[in-house]
Amino acid sequence: MTATTTTARLLLLPGDGIGPEVMAEARRVLTAAGDRFGITFDCDERLIGGAAIDAYGVPLRDEEIDAARNADAILLGAVGGPKWSDPNAPVRPEQGLLKIRKALGLYANLRPVATLDALAAASPVKKEIVRGTDLVVVRELTGGLYFGRPSRQWHDRRGRVAIDTLIYREHEIARVARLAFDLAKQRKGKVTSVDKANVLSSSRLWRQLVTEIAADYPEVTLDHMLVDAATMHLIRNPRGFDVIVTENMFGDILTDEASVLAGSLGVLPSASLGDADADGRRRGLYEPIHGSAPDIAGQSKANPIGMILSAAMMLRTSLGRDDAATAIEVAVSNVLAAGTRTGDIAGDGPVLSTTQMGEAIAAAVATPRPAATAR
Ligand code: IPM
Ligand code: MG
């Protein structure tokens, strides 16, 4: 029998913009799930991003990193906003996010994209194409251009110059590739590795290593795809993908594109994971893939589903509570199938607030009904 968590220490980092609004709804839904399944959440809420810059002068203090290490899991809202986006500012909110990913060794970012039937019509891509999409992007998260040194701007005789460095080491590629193959084994058995091996040395190393590792997974099929072609195939035939594994920057770009297949960026969760501990459980940081959406912040317009589904991923992956995770996912499907919509997915129909959507999902968790559809 696998161990099940009954008390979980959570670090909550709501961040900026709509972050605090969607975090409040995730808490509401977690409380409902905790009441039903006997889980107590001991929540420590702290600042990250612009909010932390305003309070402490830095986007994330070392105290918060220590708190993250002591927590069973971390939930994060979003960071950034126009107030802190001056390109000459010495500190930026995004540095807080990059710091926590790196400090905790969260090298694999899982971004599942599944198109719920109820939302197929909300996508700008034809519903015959998006219906049935069920893929996961495994984005490498602690290497590549985001962290390579040198990274700076300077002047020389001919004007201004800037450099960023795209560097990958063997172990960084191997560990994320293995995680992708392990995941594919539990899914449809297919890995698509995305790179730019026709141009970049780092991509040629990526391709070699992924090919070598594939030999340990005879039950998984491996394809390689160039990133430019991948952007096209994602929109032409999204059902052709199962697990996509790719480097940091390509994964950042591809997942914003892939979110369109699900109907809205607002419904997509993610998990950032490091290595598993002795009993197989992975500590992780869970966050929606959307940003802080400053244009709608403070108006209760944001869709909290991406944050709520991130909490479900946390229950399953870091806390071993498949029961509560599934209950939340079923509640989200049922609420959407019943026509409950925030502005991003409403079409011409009635629009609910962030709070009303959270309340509807929490109520559906508390009073279960069978799943409306398989997906
Ligand atoms: C994401 C975001 C971040 C990233 C930014 C905010 C630094 O776009 O999580 O996808 O690029 O990783
Ligand atoms: Mg991004």
Side-chain angles (χ1 to χ4, degrees):
M1 217 181 91
T2 52
T4 52
T5 303
T6 51
T7 303
R9 281 163 309 149
L10 305 184
L11 175 65
L12 307 184
L13 299 169
D16 307 320
I18 61 170
E21 297 167 55
V22 296
M23 183 66 80
E25 299 318 312
R27 272 188 96 151
R28 189 193 304 282
V29 172
L30 279 173
T31 303
D35 289 347
R36 182 169 151 205
F37 293 96
I39 314 167
T40 307
F41 298 103
D42 175 2
C43 296
D44 179 6
E45 193 165 310
R46 295 175 181 239
L47 302 179
I48 189 171
I53 293 176
D54 288 351
Y56 314 124
V58 290
L60 189 67
R61 299 182 305 177
D62 291 339
E63 282 116 290
E64 273 67 62
I65 298 285
D66 290 341
R69 286 189 214 285
N70 290 323
D72 295 314
I74 306 139
L75 277 179
L76 189 144
V79 297
K83 182 176 174 193
W84 308 282
S85 59
D86 173 359
N88 297 316
V91 286
R92 282 174 290 109
E94 292 76 10
Q95 292 164 341
L97 189 53
L98 301 185
K99 178 174 171 177
I100 194 168
R101 289 172 178 170
K102 191 73 170 180
L104 300 183
L106 306 174
Y107 59 81
N109 183 215
L110 274 57
R111 298 186 162 188
V113 180
T115 308
L116 297 164
D117 274 347
L119 292 187
S123 172
V125 182
K126 290 193 194 99
K127 54 179 181 303
E128 307 80 76
I129 291 183
V130 298
R131 205 183 283 284
T133 297
D134 183 9
L135 59 89
V136 183
V137 178
V138 179
R139 168 189 176 193
E140 199 292 323
L141 203 59
T142 52
L145 279 169
Y146 278 62
F147 295 95
R149 293 286 175 269
S151 168
R152 64 193 179 90
Q153 225 191 83
W154 72 98
H155 282 79
D156 72 6
R157 288 188 322 283
R158 287 181 292 172
R160 283 172 287 183
V161 194
I163 185 169
D164 292 294
T165 304
L166 176 40
I167 177 168
Y168 269 105
R169 293 183 186 283
E170 181 166 355
H171 77 275
E172 296 174 306
I173 300 172
R175 63 188 179 180
V176 74
R178 288 196 182 280
L179 192 141
F181 281 104
D182 286 333
L183 188 63
K185 266 188 359 189
Q186 302 157 23
R187 293 176 44 98
K188 293 177 271 176
K190 183 172 173 189
V191 168
T192 305
S193 174
V194 172
D195 62 35
K196 189 71 185 175
N198 53 348
V199 178
L200 301 175
S201 297
S202 55
S203 278
R204 286 191 284 274
L205 176 62
W206 183 281
R207 196 174 276 220
Q208 274 164 23
L209 286 166
V210 173
T211 305
E212 286 166 25
I213 288 164
D216 294 340
Y217 297 86
E219 63 278 64
V220 177
T221 329
L222 170 66
D223 283 337
H224 298 282
M225 198 177 278
L226 296 172
V227 63
D228 47 355
T231 62
M232 182 184 69
H233 287 297
L234 256 180
I235 297 295
R236 282 175 56 143
N237 181 26
R239 282 190 298 268
F241 292 98
D242 177 18
V243 175
I244 295 174
V245 63
T246 191
E247 67 92 45
N248 202 345
M249 172 79 108
F250 295 159
D252 179 42
I253 298 168
L254 285 175
T255 49
D256 267 31
E257 185 196 12
S259 75
V260 167
L261 304 166
S264 168
L265 193 60
V267 299
L268 292 180
S270 85
S272 303
L273 305 175
D275 281 324
D277 62 18
D279 54 358
R281 213 175 282 169
R282 288 179 193 269
R283 183 153 309 165
L285 178 149
Y286 300 83
E287 56 176 319
I289 86 160
H290 64 68
S292 59
D295 52 323
I296 58 164
Q299 303 168 44
S300 203
K301 286 185 175 171
N303 190 337
I305 290 179
M307 185 79 245
I308 290 167
L309 290 177
S310 299
M313 284 184 91
M314 170 191 81
L315 283 163
R316 178 172 294 118
T317 310
S318 286
L319 306 181
R321 293 302 302 247
D322 217 50
D323 51 357
T326 305
I328 293 174
E329 289 159 356
V330 169
V332 168
S333 298
N334 284 340
V335 160
L336 288 172
T340 311
R341 298 282 186 274
T342 41
D344 55 324
I345 49 178
D348 299 329
V351 174
L352 266 65
S353 68
T354 307
T355 313
Q356 288 169 323
M357 179 62 101
E359 285 168 350
I361 296 167
V365 168
T367 325
R369 287 193 296 125
T373 51
R375 181 175 322 267

